[in-house]
Amino acid sequence: MDDKLKILADLMFPDVTKTILDYEKMYPERDLKEGAIVSRFAPSPTGFVHMGSLLSAFEDNKVAKDTNGVFILRIEDTDQKRSVENGIVGILNDLKNFDIIPDEGMIDENNSVGNYGPYIQSERKEIYHTFAKSLVLRGLAYPCFCTSSELDETREIQELNKERIGYYGSFAKCRNIPVDEAINRIKNGEEFVVRLKSPGDFNKKIILHDLVRGDIEFPENDLDIVLIKSTDKLPTYHFAHLVDDHLMRVTHVMRGEEWIASFPIHDQLFSIFNFKKPNYAHLGLVMKIDESGTRRKLSKRKDPEASVEYYHQEGIPKEAVKLYLMTVANSNFEEWLDNNPSDDFSDFKFDFKKVSASGSLFDVLKLLNISKNYFGRQKASTIYDNLLVWTSEFDKEFHDLLVKYKDYSIKVFNIEREVEKPRKDYTSYKSIRNFVFYMYDELFKNPTYDTPKITDKKEIETILNTYYDEYLELNDKDLWFSKIKEMCDKLGYASNIKDYKKNPTNYKGNVSDVTGLIRVSLTSKMNTPDLFYIMELLGKDKIKERFTKYINTIK
Ligand code: GLU
């Protein structure tokens, strides 16, 4: 070993006591079965997850689960500006809300599970330093003393001469500083970053075999990129990616497409250390079509649906969001779902080839449609239980009614549910109140009535009173309807729509005008589920009250 390099390396990293080999032993190859994928989600501790990163965490989790692999949550806090208090717990909660539970990694602000930790980068300093020191000893890394104004100057010259921007070749001023000089400058207390002495040749080509995008060709990296920063001595993303993904024995790096351009750096770092290279899948952005029909990136600032909190607040069931995420993740999932309509998609296997490279389109209407189908499959009692939880946080008034009228509420949710074609109108827990409010007097104090076909006050009074006094029947649905028809015949409305269509002038209207009136008077709505079941649940007394209330409101 070169003695001078040893002196330099010791000066640069005085605290390093271990070797790379020590770490290789501490974090051995994982004993997993063939094909098992080790994936990781690696956010900064910003306290929340937005939709784009939720999608990638979802995919990371799915591939690991599909293959009996391992899904790691690693916190990348080397950019301390992006850290917020309780930032890890916030992320964990967002993930947990969608059943994304890492197998290894941080479990709260300070604790983790797994044998490949620490899982937070600021606690891995000694490891990064060990790896960086080994490069200095091999003459493949060096201290760079350039100030930011010197770097700006180089950039200006490159711009002026239309040269490639960056710290490389003859622009890499500190690359060839004699080791003695470097030693002296460090001893004199000069600040430095640690740079890679890139062995790459920009004229040579390398290939990224991206699992989503196929093969992409790049020039080799020749930039002397920063490995360790000067102020906090923490690594850059590039160096941390090498060290962490190697030692955590990650097999698949699924990350945002913004990292594609850095691939040559990463490829070179893995080559220099002779480490097994991970597979890469660069995921596209999450896009939306906005009101003007333009396809654009889902924006944290402009689009409420970009925040995962939105789904929680709206009460969109996590099962529906998960199904939706899967449709966004893999283009063949929707077809699979049509053939396997359930909430459990563990039999569906994630396929990198079915990921859209051009970005995933996020469509809230489609999500709501999936949600409708989800609600269509649920039992009334399940809806009740989940709604109780949602309202306890977001709708106290409704929550209290649900508690007070538990059995009644379950019956309300069961209207047209246990039938061959169950109702599919609820889109979210939040939406339910609007579909059932009329079943609770407390929520029916000042309804805004839709306008039925029949509007004459006298006629309305006659119909509702006659119906209540002579024809009300709540025991049997067929009988109920035949009674209504009987009344129609008596009052001059066609009980048979065909007859009405043949000779409309012979009648005041038809049976649907009459049921429409009854419906509006009871519920304020022209459209509701089956009126018989509504009436059966409301019961005689309430029906009378509602009729009177309605008659009193019309002029
Ligand atoms: N912390 C990086 C980011 O949030 C992680 C990228 C990666 O997954 O490698 O972009």
Side-chain angles (χ1 to χ4, degrees):
M1 193 190 298
D2 185 324
D3 286 347
K4 279 191 190 160
L5 282 180
K6 168 105 175 65
I7 295 170
L8 178 65
D10 283 344
L11 259 181
M12 289 168 77
F13 300 103
D15 299 328
V16 169
T17 56
K18 293 194 177 68
T19 64
I20 294 184
L21 205 64
D22 293 331
Y23 289 114
E24 296 287 351
K25 283 188 198 140
M26 276 171 74
Y27 308 111
E29 287 276 357
R30 292 170 185 269
D31 187 16
L32 296 171
K33 80 173 204 293
E34 177 86 25
I37 289 180
V38 181
S39 63
R40 83 294 188 279
F41 177 50
S44 301
T46 51
F48 69 96
V49 177
H50 63 81
M51 219 48 209
S53 32
L54 183 74
L55 179 64
S56 76
F58 174 81
E59 293 173 348
D60 278 315
N61 186 45
K62 177 76 178 138
V63 284
K65 297 287 176 302
D66 280 357
T67 58
N68 293 316
V70 181
F71 168 50
I72 303 169
L73 173 66
R74 180 170 76 222
I75 298 298
E76 306 216 325
D77 62 342
T78 56
D79 181 359
Q80 308 257 327
K81 285 194 293 290
R82 298 189 64 197
S83 303
V84 300
E85 213 178 312
N86 292 323
I88 300 175
V89 168
I91 289 170
L92 282 163
N93 283 342
D94 279 350
L95 296 182
K96 204 168 81 204
N97 281 339
F98 298 98
D99 297 332
I100 302 173
I101 315 280
D103 303 305
E104 270 180 29
M106 300 308 289
I107 49 167
D108 59 36
E109 292 304 319
N110 302 308
N111 300 295
S112 63
V113 290
N115 296 327
Y116 288 79
Y119 294 93
I120 179 160
Q121 290 181 329
S122 53
E123 285 173 24
R124 300 173 62 80
K125 220 176 198 170
E126 198 190 329
I127 309 180
Y128 304 122
H129 287 190
T130 306
F131 278 63
K133 187 172 183 177
S134 84
L135 286 181
V136 177
L137 287 169
R138 291 168 63 195
L140 281 168
Y142 61 90
C144 166
F145 304 96
C146 286
T147 59
S148 51
S149 60
E150 279 173 299
L151 295 173
D152 289 347
E153 213 173 283
T154 306
R155 169 184 269 272
E156 277 164 26
I157 293 170
Q158 288 170 333
E159 276 170 1
L160 209 68
N161 298 338
K162 301 210 167 3
E163 304 217 47
R164 194 153 53 84
I165 307 292
Y167 203 83
Y168 62 95
S170 59
F171 296 110
K173 285 196 199 142
C174 295
R175 185 181 173 107
N176 294 316
I177 290 180
V179 178
D180 284 334
E181 185 187 328
I183 291 172
N184 282 335
R185 288 174 77 167
I186 293 176
K187 280 190 178 158
N188 286 338
E190 254 189 78
E191 287 280 313
F192 64 91
V193 298
V194 183
R195 282 191 188 271
L196 171 72
K197 195 173 210 167
S198 171
D201 176 349
F202 192 72
N203 295 311
K204 286 196 185 142
K205 301 283 179 226
I206 56 154
I207 292 182
L208 160 62
H209 303 289
D210 192 286
L211 295 176
V212 172
R213 289 148 205 271
D215 287 0
I216 308 175
E217 198 179 76
F218 293 91
E220 249 180 38
N221 174 59
D222 67 348
L223 300 177
D224 285 0
I225 53 118
V226 175
L227 302 174
I228 304 285
K229 297 180 278 179
S230 71
T231 38
D232 51 17
K233 302 285 176 211
L234 283 169
T236 53
Y237 168 79
H238 309 304
F239 198 51
H241 157 47
L242 165 94
V243 175
D244 295 345
D245 285 326
H246 172 66
L247 289 182
M248 292 180 188
R249 308 292 173 179
V250 167
T251 62
H252 286 61
V253 171
M254 297 161 72
R255 61 184 179 186
E257 64 182 11
E258 66 275 20
W259 296 111
I260 295 180
S262 318
F263 170 76
I265 297 171
H266 305 151
D267 188 63
Q268 185 171 62
L269 287 172
F270 277 87
S271 294
I272 288 173
F273 281 93
N274 205 15
F275 291 158
K276 190 166 165 200
K277 294 177 182 176
N279 295 288
Y280 288 93
H282 288 95
L283 308 169
L285 295 171
V286 175
M287 316 287 288
K288 78 175 269 181
I289 309 248
D290 70 11
E291 302 68 38
S292 63
T294 326
R295 191 180 157 106
R296 64 164 172 80
K297 188 182 162 200
L298 194 66
S299 144
K300 257 184 282 178
R301 205 165 36 83
K302 288 190 222 150
D303 308 312
E305 74 269 28
S307 126
V308 299
E309 187 50 25
Y310 169 83
Y311 303 88
H312 185 48
Q313 280 170 12
E314 286 295 300
I316 299 175
K318 67 176 177 190
E319 292 82 358
V321 178
K322 285 187 329 188
L323 287 173
Y324 182 62
L325 287 176
M326 202 63 241
T327 67
V328 175
N330 266 184
S331 55
N332 54 332
F333 178 66
E334 234 178 313
E335 198 187 322
W336 185 92
L337 185 62
D338 284 344
N339 299 324
N340 301 273
S342 93
D343 319 327
D344 178 14
F345 50 86
S346 50
D347 287 341
F348 177 84
K349 299 289 175 235
F350 179 88
D351 184 351
F352 285 100
K353 291 195 197 72
K354 301 286 184 195
V355 176
S356 158
S358 60
S360 319
L361 200 58
F362 213 80
D363 177 353
V364 173
L365 285 180
K366 198 157 156 187
L367 165 60
L368 294 183
N369 215 21
I370 289 183
S371 192
K372 274 185 191 173
N373 286 325
Y374 165 80
F375 276 111
R377 291 191 293 273
Q378 302 312 304
K379 279 215 192 94
S381 58
T382 312
I383 294 180
Y384 176 85
D385 291 342
N386 292 334
L387 183 61
L388 205 59
V389 175
W390 185 84
T391 50
S392 69
E393 197 175 344
F394 296 104
D395 188 346
K396 194 80 186 69
E397 185 187 24
F398 193 21
H399 181 261
D400 291 347
L401 294 174
L402 292 170
V403 173
K404 192 166 165 192
Y405 307 114
K406 177 173 176 179
D407 295 340
Y408 173 79
S409 298
I410 293 175
K411 284 183 192 146
V412 170
F413 303 145
N414 209 34
I415 291 179
E416 284 191 39
R417 190 158 294 281
E418 285 169 24
V419 289
E420 200 188 325
K421 283 204 164 161
R423 63 189 291 183
K424 285 185 185 170
D425 46 1
Y426 302 171
T427 52
S428 64
Y429 292 110
K430 187 177 175 179
S431 76
I432 295 177
R433 178 171 169 156
N434 253 338
F435 288 109
V436 299
F437 71 96
Y438 49 76
M439 299 306 288
Y440 303 86
D441 281 343
E442 293 85 342
L443 304 179
F444 199 76
K445 293 212 173 94
N446 292 302
T448 311
Y449 290 96
D450 288 346
T451 311
K453 261 281 189 44
I454 304 164
T455 50
D456 179 74
K457 179 161 180 157
K458 271 238 113 25
E459 186 67 12
I460 289 172
E461 255 176 294
T462 309
I463 295 173
L464 295 183
N465 289 335
T466 312
Y467 180 62
Y468 187 83
D469 294 339
E470 299 171 37
Y471 294 94
L472 190 61
E473 155 61 50
L474 296 177
N475 293 323
D476 179 274
K477 195 176 162 192
D478 293 335
L479 198 55
W480 166 82
F481 195 50
S482 66
K483 286 272 190 188
I484 288 183
K485 293 208 306 205
E486 224 179 285
M487 176 181 74
C488 284
D489 290 335
K490 177 176 160 186
L491 295 181
Y493 292 83
S495 58
N496 181 312
I497 302 275
K498 267 195 206 142
D499 294 345
Y500 177 72
K501 282 195 176 147
K502 263 188 239 153
N503 288 307
T505 45
N506 286 0
Y507 305 96
K508 290 194 215 163
N510 66 48
V511 62
S512 75
D513 300 338
V514 173
T515 49
L517 170 68
I518 298 174
R519 192 186 301 276
V520 168
S521 66
L522 294 176
T523 68
S524 75
K525 297 272 175 210
M526 282 294 274
N527 283 316
T528 69
D530 198 305
L531 191 53
F532 170 72
Y533 299 115
I534 291 174
M535 293 177 71
E536 190 188 28
L537 278 183
L538 286 175
K540 263 188 113 169
D541 294 347
K542 258 193 197 133
I543 291 172
K544 178 76 190 161
E545 274 168 41
R546 298 260 170 121
F547 283 174
T548 313
K549 185 182 174 90
Y550 183 61
I551 290 166
N552 289 339
T553 60
I554 43 172
K555 301 193 180 67

